[in-house]
Every structure is written in C-alpha cells, then in structure tokens.
Amino acid sequence: MAAIAAAVAAATSAFTSFHLTRATPYTRLHIRTFITSSLSSSSTKFNITFAPPKPKPKPKPEPAIPINSDSDSDSNSVPNLEAEIGDQLYIPWIVRDEKGNLTLQSTPPARLLHEMANASTSKKKKKGKEVASKAATVVPTPEPKHSKAARRFYNENFRDPPQRLSKVLAAAGVASRRSSEELIFQGRVTVNGSVCKTPQTKVDPARDVIYVNGNRLPKKLPTKVYLALNKPKGYICSSGEKETKSVMSLFDDFIKSWDKRHPGQPKPRLFTVGRLDVATTGLIIVTNDGEFTHQISHPSSNLSKEYIATIDGEVHKRHLIAISEGTVIDGVHCIPDNVELLPGQPDLSRPRLRIVVHEGRNHEVRELVKNAGLQLRALKRIRIGGFRLPADLALGKHVELNQANLKALGWKS
C-alpha cells in the first residue's frame, strides 16, 4: 500500500511539473500505460514515454479574395485568415461592404445576427392538435374607429330610436299604417322568430329580424322623400280606392326609376299630406315621412293655405262680407284669414277670389263660398305655409322639395 501511495504522489507531482504549450489529445491507452509503468516501479524515478501525435493535416490555402477585382483596396480588405482561424472551425461569410464590393469575413453580418436575435421561436405542435388549434384560433377584431363614449353619444343623440311595429311596416312600404295593424293582428308578422300581434311593439329594423308573410323586412328603411305635386282634376288623394284614379298613379315613373337613383334601398310607400277634393286642383305634398305628415297636417301647426276660387256670376261686396264672417262646419265656426277679389284679366272672363284659411276643415272653402250665395266654378290651392306652387309646374307633375322648402312649410327636423 505504501508503494501505491508513493506512486500516486509521484505521478501527481509529475503532472503538475509539465507545462503543455499545446493541447495534445491523449487517449485512454496512453494514460493507462503511464500509470502502469509508474506503479510497476518501486523508485521515485519514472521513465515516461508518449505515443507520437498524429500528423495534423495542413489546411488548404484559401483562394485570393476579393471577388470584385475592380477596387484598388481589395488586398487590404482580405483578412489574415491564418491569424484569425488558428485551430478553430472556420465558416466563411461573403458580405457586400458599404462600397458595394464583395468581401470575405469570418463573422456573420450584423444584420443576420440582429434578425436571429429578434426572431420568435415556437415549439413544434403535434399533427393531431394542429387542426384543433386552427379551429380554436380567434380572428382579432379590428379596433373601432371611434371610442366607446363617442359611439354611446351618437346612439343616444343621433341614432333613430325604436319605433312602433306598425309604423315601421308602413315606412318600409309594406302597407298603410291601418293595413299594417291588420296584418299584425292576423299573426302574419314575426319579430326575431316569434309571432307578434301587438302593433305598439317597439322594434329597430337595423337590429331586429322582421318577417311579413314570410318575406324579410329590409334592415335599412328607404330614404325620406318630399315631393310637391300639381294635382289635376279627377284624382283622389288616396291609394286604397281602385275604382277612381289616385294621385299615386302619377308617381309610377318615379317609383320605377328608384332603383337607379337609390340602389340597394327599398322602394318608399308614398302618401299625401292632407287631402284635396276630386274636383280641386293645385298644390299637395306627397311624402313617406309619417312624422312630417303629422306635424304639417295637425291643426296646431296653424299653417295658412291659400286658394283661388273661380266664381260663376258676379261677385259683390256683400258676398265678400259674408265669406269673411265665416260659417259653421262640423259644429265649429270657421273664419277665413283673408278674402280678396282679384282684378280681372283679359283672358279670364269669370271673377276670382283669393281665400286664405288656416284650420283646413273638410270642404271649408267650398262651404264658405256656398254660404255666401255664390256658385263655385273651380278651386285651386296655390300655397301651403311659406311654400308656393311653382308657376311653371304643369298639371300632374311634381318637384322634389329641398331643405329651404321644408323650412318654409314649417318642418322642424
């Protein structure tokens, strides 16, 4: 045992005394031979021998670089490969420098290192889970253009509030409001998959799904239309009568050309604001806006209406006084705002009266003339509020109203 310990100590001192100037590879056979020879000797002096190292292959000389021979500084741009490489593994990189010349360098370009550092790594997924992961991926929704507070402010102040179901059906052109109520009572209207039999139900066409007789109601209601018609004689202001001509038949061309002027929008259902007698001609407003109709035709609007009455026979001062005193219609004493005898014209042999009223009772002007003892030949309305019938508008023709015309009619949108 003492001999073994002495041998180990001697071997340790021998290893520490060596200074290896170069990393020489040793195999297990060399080390085993060295220890065995040390243990077999009983003295402290050892005869250490090493196997000769394997000859190292000489590296092949690199070709002369640069690749581009046009530059004068090519010889200076070639790095000293032998000094840089040594015994390390060398991977050449051909890079284009700032001057556009191709050079050889021992390190990767900085751009590649930057991209590798910023590249995102992901674990490989199993093939069985790839389909499930694709189905589970949620497409990110784009960020809204406006903030939540701005959208809430718009919905509260500018968005159309929910309306009654019968009113929505009438505005969409399904039928009149009364006929729409009958369709609802008959159970032919569904809202969001359920039959609705209450015309007062509040709905929003943009959000609610409404079906009438199996047909889907469009989400977008038609554009509001405001027209002024020069009504001819013999037409009634109703769309429900079939035995008599209706003023709605005068808008057939307007409805047919609706798709060209408003593509993608449903056709409007037009109706008149107020009425004129079959024999009365002149100005009448046609629209599809129920709120506008209610505001203009309501007695609280106090809109004045001007008529030109053509009289058979002579008109005296007493007739004018009798008309100005008014008459009783439906239990209400109606008094005109103004009565005036227009000056005669060479081409008109019959006298004409200008009568202005504001209540708009049924047959009010006719009753005033009749109560004065005069025979009415023709009656024409030429003005409603501040809007006057255009002089160049022919009978049976219409014109679209602009914002100034609507304001003259007293419309406050």
Side-chain angles (χ1 to χ4, degrees):
M1 294 298 292
I4 296 176
V8 172
T12 305
S13 61
F15 276 117
T16 56
S17 63
F18 289 144
H19 177 69
L20 302 179
T21 59
R22 184 172 180 177
T24 305
Y26 296 98
T27 62
R28 294 182 180 178
L29 179 60
H30 301 156
I31 298 174
R32 187 171 59 250
T33 305
F34 171 76
I35 296 175
T36 304
S37 61
S38 300
L39 293 177
S40 61
S41 176
S42 59
S43 62
T44 59
K45 296 181 180 180
F46 300 94
N47 184 15
I48 301 174
T49 58
F50 296 93
K54 293 182 180 180
K56 185 177 180 180
K58 296 182 180 180
K60 295 181 180 181
E62 296 292 337
I65 304 292
I67 298 176
N68 189 1
S69 60
D70 296 338
S71 176
D72 297 337
S73 62
D74 290 345
S75 58
N76 298 330
S77 62
V78 181
N80 190 0
L81 298 181
E82 294 183 358
E84 293 184 3
I85 296 174
D87 295 335
Q88 299 179 358
L89 179 62
Y90 174 74
I91 300 177
W93 293 88
I94 300 176
V95 183
R96 189 178 296 276
D97 58 8
E98 297 178 355
K99 297 182 179 180
N101 301 323
L102 296 176
T103 58
L104 184 66
Q105 64 183 32
S106 59
T107 58
R111 180 176 56 84
L112 178 61
L113 296 176
H114 180 70
E115 293 181 356
M116 293 176 62
N118 295 334
S120 58
T121 59
S122 58
K123 297 182 179 179
K124 293 184 179 181
K125 298 180 180 180
K126 296 182 180 180
K127 295 183 179 179
K129 296 183 179 180
E130 288 182 357
V131 179
S133 63
K134 290 182 181 179
T137 54
V138 179
V139 179
T141 58
E143 186 178 0
K145 296 182 179 180
H146 306 283
S147 64
K148 188 175 181 180
R151 286 182 277 119
R152 185 188 301 111
F153 178 81
Y154 173 81
N155 293 335
E156 293 176 356
N157 295 275
F158 299 99
R159 187 184 182 91
D160 295 334
Q163 301 177 357
R164 289 181 299 163
L165 180 59
S166 59
K167 183 178 180 180
V168 171
L169 296 183
V174 175
S176 63
R177 188 172 298 186
R178 184 175 301 176
S179 300
S180 298
E181 292 179 354
E182 294 179 358
L183 293 174
I184 296 172
F185 288 136
Q186 295 173 4
R188 298 161 66 180
V189 180
T190 61
V191 179
N192 297 327
S194 302
V195 178
C196 182
K197 294 186 178 182
T198 307
Q200 294 80 14
T201 303
K202 298 290 185 178
V203 295
D204 185 0
R207 298 181 179 180
D208 298 324
V209 180
I210 305 173
Y211 278 85
V212 181
N213 294 329
N215 298 323
R216 172 73 182 273
L217 195 72
K219 290 185 177 181
K220 191 174 183 180
L221 296 179
T223 306
K224 301 298 182 182
V225 179
Y226 306 94
L227 306 171
L229 172 68
N230 190 359
K231 175 186 172 299
K233 188 177 180 179
Y235 288 81
I236 65 171
C237 298
S238 176
S239 57
E241 302 289 341
K242 295 183 179 180
E243 62 276 3
T244 311
K245 293 183 294 184
S246 172
V247 294
M248 294 298 107
S249 62
L250 301 174
F251 296 93
D252 290 342
D253 295 338
F254 176 81
I255 297 298
K256 290 179 181 179
S257 61
W258 177 265
D259 294 334
K260 295 181 180 179
R261 292 180 287 109
H262 304 277
Q265 293 188 10
K267 296 180 180 179
R269 189 190 68 86
L270 301 177
F271 46 84
T272 60
V273 180
R275 295 189 179 186
L276 286 177
D277 298 332
V278 177
T280 304
T281 62
L283 176 61
I284 189 167
I285 306 300
V286 179
T287 182
N288 63 337
D289 190 347
E291 185 178 357
F292 170 79
T293 302
H294 177 74
Q295 179 177 336
I296 299 303
S297 60
H298 198 271
S300 61
S301 62
N302 289 326
L303 283 178
S304 61
K305 302 175 182 63
E306 183 177 345
Y307 294 83
I308 300 297
T310 304
I311 307 297
D312 279 337
E314 296 182 357
V315 178
H316 301 283
K317 186 176 181 179
R318 59 184 175 85
H319 296 132
L320 300 178
I321 296 174
I323 294 175
S324 61
E325 291 179 352
T327 185
V328 177
I329 301 175
D330 297 334
V332 179
H333 189 210
C334 299
I335 301 177
D337 296 342
N338 191 9
V339 180
E340 179 185 359
L341 178 62
L342 298 177
Q345 296 182 4
D347 55 340
L348 299 175
S349 58
R350 295 182 175 86
R352 297 180 302 154
L353 297 176
R354 187 177 69 90
I355 303 176
V356 180
V357 297
H358 67 274
E359 294 187 4
R361 297 283 178 177
N362 191 21
H363 305 292
E364 181 177 359
V365 177
R366 292 181 179 273
E367 291 294 332
L368 290 172
V369 174
K370 181 180 179 181
N371 185 62
L374 297 175
Q375 186 177 356
L376 186 64
R377 175 77 178 183
L379 185 63
K380 180 180 182 180
R381 183 162 66 184
I382 61 173
R383 180 177 62 85
I384 299 177
F387 178 75
R388 186 175 295 272
L389 181 69
D392 56 347
L393 188 61
L395 284 173
K397 301 299 180 179
H398 65 272
V399 61
E400 294 191 25
L401 302 180
N402 53 31
Q403 291 297 327
N405 302 142
L406 296 176
K407 188 176 181 180
L409 290 169
W411 170 236
K412 300 177 181 179
S413 58

PDB file of all heavy atoms in Angstrom, residues 372-389:
ATOM      1  N   ALA A 372    -122.043  82.096 -48.789  1.00  0.00           N
ATOM      2  CA  ALA A 372    -122.179  83.488 -49.254  1.00  0.00           C
ATOM      3  C   ALA A 372    -123.138  83.619 -50.425  1.00  0.00           C
ATOM      4  O   ALA A 372    -123.380  84.741 -50.912  1.00  0.00           O
ATOM      5  CB  ALA A 372    -120.814  84.041 -49.639  1.00  0.00           C
ATOM      6  N   GLY A 373    -123.698  82.533 -50.935  1.00  0.00           N
ATOM      7  CA  GLY A 373    -124.642  82.580 -52.040  1.00  0.00           C
ATOM      8  C   GLY A 373    -123.980  82.617 -53.393  1.00  0.00           C
ATOM      9  O   GLY A 373    -124.594  83.054 -54.377  1.00  0.00           O
ATOM     10  N   LEU A 374    -122.747  82.143 -53.498  1.00  0.00           N
ATOM     11  CA  LEU A 374    -122.046  82.131 -54.771  1.00  0.00           C
ATOM     12  C   LEU A 374    -121.911  80.701 -55.283  1.00  0.00           C
ATOM     13  O   LEU A 374    -121.935  79.738 -54.510  1.00  0.00           O
ATOM     14  CB  LEU A 374    -120.648  82.745 -54.622  1.00  0.00           C
ATOM     15  CG  LEU A 374    -120.598  84.228 -54.215  1.00  0.00           C
ATOM     16  CD1 LEU A 374    -119.150  84.656 -53.995  1.00  0.00           C
ATOM     17  CD2 LEU A 374    -121.251  85.097 -55.285  1.00  0.00           C
ATOM     18  N   GLN A 375    -121.772  80.601 -56.613  1.00  0.00           N
ATOM     19  CA  GLN A 375    -121.603  79.299 -57.244  1.00  0.00           C
ATOM     20  C   GLN A 375    -120.134  79.121 -57.640  1.00  0.00           C
ATOM     21  O   GLN A 375    -119.598  79.907 -58.414  1.00  0.00           O
ATOM     22  CB  GLN A 375    -122.514  79.177 -58.467  1.00  0.00           C
ATOM     23  CG  GLN A 375    -122.486  77.790 -59.092  1.00  0.00           C
ATOM     24  CD  GLN A 375    -123.445  77.652 -60.255  1.00  0.00           C
ATOM     25  OE1 GLN A 375    -124.196  78.604 -60.555  1.00  0.00           O
ATOM     26  NE2 GLN A 375    -123.449  76.499 -60.905  1.00  0.00           N
ATOM     27  N   LEU A 376    -119.535  78.082 -57.113  1.00  0.00           N
ATOM     28  CA  LEU A 376    -118.105  77.839 -57.344  1.00  0.00           C
ATOM     29  C   LEU A 376    -117.901  77.113 -58.668  1.00  0.00           C
ATOM     30  O   LEU A 376    -118.520  76.074 -58.922  1.00  0.00           O
ATOM     31  CB  LEU A 376    -117.522  77.006 -56.188  1.00  0.00           C
ATOM     32  CG  LEU A 376    -116.010  76.791 -56.195  1.00  0.00           C
ATOM     33  CD1 LEU A 376    -115.276  78.110 -56.029  1.00  0.00           C
ATOM     34  CD2 LEU A 376    -115.616  75.825 -55.090  1.00  0.00           C
ATOM     35  N   ARG A 377    -117.011  77.662 -59.486  1.00  0.00           N
ATOM     36  CA  ARG A 377    -116.702  77.069 -60.784  1.00  0.00           C
ATOM     37  C   ARG A 377    -115.482  76.159 -60.694  1.00  0.00           C
ATOM     38  O   ARG A 377    -115.507  75.037 -61.195  1.00  0.00           O
ATOM     39  CB  ARG A 377    -116.438  78.187 -61.799  1.00  0.00           C
ATOM     40  CG  ARG A 377    -115.990  77.708 -63.156  1.00  0.00           C
ATOM     41  CD  ARG A 377    -117.126  77.158 -63.968  1.00  0.00           C
ATOM     42  NE  ARG A 377    -116.704  76.744 -65.297  1.00  0.00           N
ATOM     43  CZ  ARG A 377    -117.550  76.277 -66.220  1.00  0.00           C
ATOM     44  NH1 ARG A 377    -118.844  76.175 -65.962  1.00  0.00           N
ATOM     45  NH2 ARG A 377    -117.116  75.934 -67.422  1.00  0.00           N
ATOM     46  N   ALA A 378    -114.407  76.645 -60.100  1.00  0.00           N
ATOM     47  CA  ALA A 378    -113.169  75.878 -59.965  1.00  0.00           C
ATOM     48  C   ALA A 378    -112.442  76.345 -58.709  1.00  0.00           C
ATOM     49  O   ALA A 378    -112.582  77.509 -58.291  1.00  0.00           O
ATOM     50  CB  ALA A 378    -112.284  76.026 -61.199  1.00  0.00           C
ATOM     51  N   LEU A 379    -111.671  75.423 -58.142  1.00  0.00           N
ATOM     52  CA  LEU A 379    -110.926  75.730 -56.918  1.00  0.00           C
ATOM     53  C   LEU A 379    -109.505  75.167 -57.060  1.00  0.00           C
ATOM     54  O   LEU A 379    -109.328  74.000 -57.426  1.00  0.00           O
ATOM     55  CB  LEU A 379    -111.621  75.134 -55.693  1.00  0.00           C
ATOM     56  CG  LEU A 379    -111.013  75.480 -54.332  1.00  0.00           C
ATOM     57  CD1 LEU A 379    -111.075  76.972 -54.065  1.00  0.00           C
ATOM     58  CD2 LEU A 379    -111.715  74.703 -53.225  1.00  0.00           C
ATOM     59  N   LYS A 380    -108.536  76.018 -56.729  1.00  0.00           N
ATOM     60  CA  LYS A 380    -107.132  75.618 -56.852  1.00  0.00           C
ATOM     61  C   LYS A 380    -106.346  76.124 -55.639  1.00  0.00           C
ATOM     62  O   LYS A 380    -106.473  77.291 -55.267  1.00  0.00           O
ATOM     63  CB  LYS A 380    -106.521  76.194 -58.138  1.00  0.00           C
ATOM     64  CG  LYS A 380    -105.052  75.825 -58.353  1.00  0.00           C
ATOM     65  CD  LYS A 380    -104.525  76.429 -59.647  1.00  0.00           C
ATOM     66  CE  LYS A 380    -103.069  76.040 -59.899  1.00  0.00           C
ATOM     67  NZ  LYS A 380    -102.546  76.621 -61.154  1.00  0.00           N
ATOM     68  N   ARG A 381    -105.551  75.232 -55.054  1.00  0.00           N
ATOM     69  CA  ARG A 381    -104.677  75.628 -53.942  1.00  0.00           C
ATOM     70  C   ARG A 381    -103.304  75.972 -54.509  1.00  0.00           C
ATOM     71  O   ARG A 381    -102.695  75.176 -55.246  1.00  0.00           O
ATOM     72  CB  ARG A 381    -104.574  74.505 -52.911  1.00  0.00           C
ATOM     73  CG  ARG A 381    -103.735  74.878 -51.709  1.00  0.00           C
ATOM     74  CD  ARG A 381    -103.989  73.964 -50.534  1.00  0.00           C
ATOM     75  NE  ARG A 381    -103.550  72.591 -50.792  1.00  0.00           N
ATOM     76  CZ  ARG A 381    -103.750  71.578 -49.917  1.00  0.00           C
ATOM     77  NH1 ARG A 381    -104.374  71.815 -48.769  1.00  0.00           N
ATOM     78  NH2 ARG A 381    -103.344  70.368 -50.221  1.00  0.00           N
ATOM     79  N   ILE A 382    -102.784  77.127 -54.095  1.00  0.00           N
ATOM     80  CA  ILE A 382    -101.526  77.608 -54.656  1.00  0.00           C
ATOM     81  C   ILE A 382    -100.439  77.778 -53.597  1.00  0.00           C
ATOM     82  O   ILE A 382     -99.277  78.007 -53.961  1.00  0.00           O
ATOM     83  CB  ILE A 382    -101.725  78.946 -55.394  1.00  0.00           C
ATOM     84  CG1 ILE A 382    -102.233  80.021 -54.428  1.00  0.00           C
ATOM     85  CG2 ILE A 382    -102.692  78.770 -56.573  1.00  0.00           C
ATOM     86  CD1 ILE A 382    -102.290  81.413 -55.037  1.00  0.00           C
ATOM     87  N   ARG A 383    -100.774  77.665 -52.303  1.00  0.00           N
ATOM     88  CA  ARG A 383     -99.758  77.896 -51.285  1.00  0.00           C
ATOM     89  C   ARG A 383    -100.102  77.135 -50.012  1.00  0.00           C
ATOM     90  O   ARG A 383    -101.270  77.046 -49.622  1.00  0.00           O
ATOM     91  CB  ARG A 383     -99.621  79.389 -50.969  1.00  0.00           C
ATOM     92  CG  ARG A 383     -98.583  79.723 -49.916  1.00  0.00           C
ATOM     93  CD  ARG A 383     -98.453  81.235 -49.715  1.00  0.00           C
ATOM     94  NE  ARG A 383     -99.700  81.831 -49.243  1.00  0.00           N
ATOM     95  CZ  ARG A 383    -100.070  81.891 -47.955  1.00  0.00           C
ATOM     96  NH1 ARG A 383     -99.287  81.363 -47.025  1.00  0.00           N
ATOM     97  NH2 ARG A 383    -101.206  82.480 -47.624  1.00  0.00           N
ATOM     98  N   ILE A 384     -99.055  76.587 -49.364  1.00  0.00           N
ATOM     99  CA  ILE A 384     -99.164  75.988 -48.033  1.00  0.00           C
ATOM    100  C   ILE A 384     -98.038  76.576 -47.200  1.00  0.00           C
ATOM    101  O   ILE A 384     -96.861  76.371 -47.492  1.00  0.00           O
ATOM    102  CB  ILE A 384     -99.048  74.450 -48.072  1.00  0.00           C
ATOM    103  CG1 ILE A 384    -100.150  73.835 -48.915  1.00  0.00           C
ATOM    104  CG2 ILE A 384     -99.078  73.874 -46.659  1.00  0.00           C
ATOM    105  CD1 ILE A 384    -100.045  72.326 -49.038  1.00  0.00           C
ATOM    106  N   GLY A 385     -98.387  77.283 -46.144  1.00  0.00           N
ATOM    107  CA  GLY A 385     -97.374  77.926 -45.316  1.00  0.00           C
ATOM    108  C   GLY A 385     -96.587  78.942 -46.132  1.00  0.00           C
ATOM    109  O   GLY A 385     -97.150  79.851 -46.757  1.00  0.00           O
ATOM    110  N   GLY A 386     -95.281  78.797 -46.133  1.00  0.00           N
ATOM    111  CA  GLY A 386     -94.433  79.695 -46.904  1.00  0.00           C
ATOM    112  C   GLY A 386     -94.021  79.139 -48.253  1.00  0.00           C
ATOM    113  O   GLY A 386     -93.231  79.779 -48.961  1.00  0.00           O
ATOM    114  N   PHE A 387     -94.549  77.967 -48.632  1.00  0.00           N
ATOM    115  CA  PHE A 387     -94.183  77.368 -49.921  1.00  0.00           C
ATOM    116  C   PHE A 387     -95.317  77.577 -50.913  1.00  0.00           C
ATOM    117  O   PHE A 387     -96.471  77.207 -50.662  1.00  0.00           O
ATOM    118  CB  PHE A 387     -93.905  75.875 -49.763  1.00  0.00           C
ATOM    119  CG  PHE A 387     -93.558  75.187 -51.047  1.00  0.00           C
ATOM    120  CD1 PHE A 387     -92.312  75.355 -51.640  1.00  0.00           C
ATOM    121  CD2 PHE A 387     -94.489  74.384 -51.682  1.00  0.00           C
ATOM    122  CE1 PHE A 387     -91.998  74.738 -52.835  1.00  0.00           C
ATOM    123  CE2 PHE A 387     -94.180  73.747 -52.872  1.00  0.00           C
ATOM    124  CZ  PHE A 387     -92.935  73.927 -53.455  1.00  0.00           C
ATOM    125  N   ARG A 388     -94.955  78.156 -52.050  1.00  0.00           N
ATOM    126  CA  ARG A 388     -95.931  78.450 -53.101  1.00  0.00           C
ATOM    127  C   ARG A 388     -95.719  77.518 -54.283  1.00  0.00           C
ATOM    128  O   ARG A 388     -94.585  77.170 -54.615  1.00  0.00           O
ATOM    129  CB  ARG A 388     -95.808  79.909 -53.533  1.00  0.00           C
ATOM    130  CG  ARG A 388     -96.868  80.373 -54.518  1.00  0.00           C
ATOM    131  CD  ARG A 388     -96.730  81.860 -54.784  1.00  0.00           C
ATOM    132  NE  ARG A 388     -97.008  82.629 -53.564  1.00  0.00           N
ATOM    133  CZ  ARG A 388     -98.223  83.042 -53.195  1.00  0.00           C
ATOM    134  NH1 ARG A 388     -99.277  82.757 -53.963  1.00  0.00           N
ATOM    135  NH2 ARG A 388     -98.385  83.743 -52.096  1.00  0.00           N
ATOM    136  N   LEU A 389     -96.820  77.115 -54.896  1.00  0.00           N
ATOM    137  CA  LEU A 389     -96.753  76.230 -56.058  1.00  0.00           C
ATOM    138  C   LEU A 389     -95.998  76.914 -57.186  1.00  0.00           C
ATOM    139  O   LEU A 389     -96.326  78.047 -57.568  1.00  0.00           O
ATOM    140  CB  LEU A 389     -98.165  75.865 -56.528  1.00  0.00           C
ATOM    141  CG  LEU A 389     -98.281  74.925 -57.727  1.00  0.00           C
ATOM    142  CD1 LEU A 389     -97.807  73.529 -57.359  1.00  0.00           C
ATOM    143  CD2 LEU A 389     -99.725  74.888 -58.237  1.00  0.00           C
TER     144      LEU A 389
END
